[in-house]
Amino acid sequence: MIADNTAPVRRRPRPVGFSTVASAARLHLCKASRDDDAVRTRHIAALLAFTPTVERTANQMRITFEDGPTAMWAYGVLPKGDVELAEVGKDGGVVVVTNPQMVLGPLGFRDGRWVFGQGKNAVLGISRGAVHAAGTFSKHGLKVACPSTPMMLTLTAVMTRLGITAKPTEGEPRAAISAGDVPVALDRLGIAEIADEYQRLRDSNVVRKNA
C-alpha cells in the first residue's frame, strides 16, 4: 500500500463535547502497539502520513501534534538520531525530523510517499495510526480526515479488511464510521474500553436533545 500525503490538507475540527473521548482514544492508542514491533512500525508511519499539520523542507520534516502524549509517544518510537522533540505540552507538541528520507526510510518513507506494506500487521497498524492522527468523534460517529481522496479510499479498504465498516465521504476526504459501528471499530483497534465512554457521552447528548 502506497500513500502520498503531499497534497495540502486542512486542520481538522475538534468537536468540544467529544474531545475527551478523542484524547482518551489517543492515549490508549499510544499503548496499544507497544508489544508488537511490526504493528508499531505501520502505526507510526500512518500517524505521520495522516497527521494534517506536517511541514516539509528540503531536508527536514516538522510534525505538529494536537496532543502532547502523542507527540511524546512519536518521539519515543521514531529512530534516534536526527529526531528532536522541539515542543511539548498537554495541548500538543512538535517533533522535527532532519534528513527524513534517511531517518524515516526504514518505516516506509520513500521519495515523499509512505509505503505501508501489506498483511495483517499493516492493516492494524495503518488503521490505528490514521485514527490516532486524524480521528474525531461526534454523536454521528467517528470520522478520520484524510490528506487526499486516494488515501481516503486506501483507508476505507484497509479498515474493511480489519472488520470495520467505514465509508468514504463526499467533499472533504474522510473515512466515516457510523455511531452504531463505533464500538466494533474501537474493539478492532484494540481500544474497546473507549466504547463505553463514547456511548455514555452520545446517550447524554441524545437525552439533552430530547429533554
Side-chain angles (χ1 to χ4, degrees), residues 171-190:
E172 295 291 326
R174 291 182 173 87
I177 301 168
S178 69
D181 290 324
V182 166
V184 171
L186 295 175
D187 179 64
R188 296 290 191 273
L189 293 170

Side-chain angles (χ1 to χ4, degrees), residues 33-46:
S33 299
R34 60 186 176 186
D35 296 327
D36 192 317
D37 290 343
V39 174
R40 185 169 57 250
T41 296
R42 275 69 172 201
H43 183 158
I44 185 64

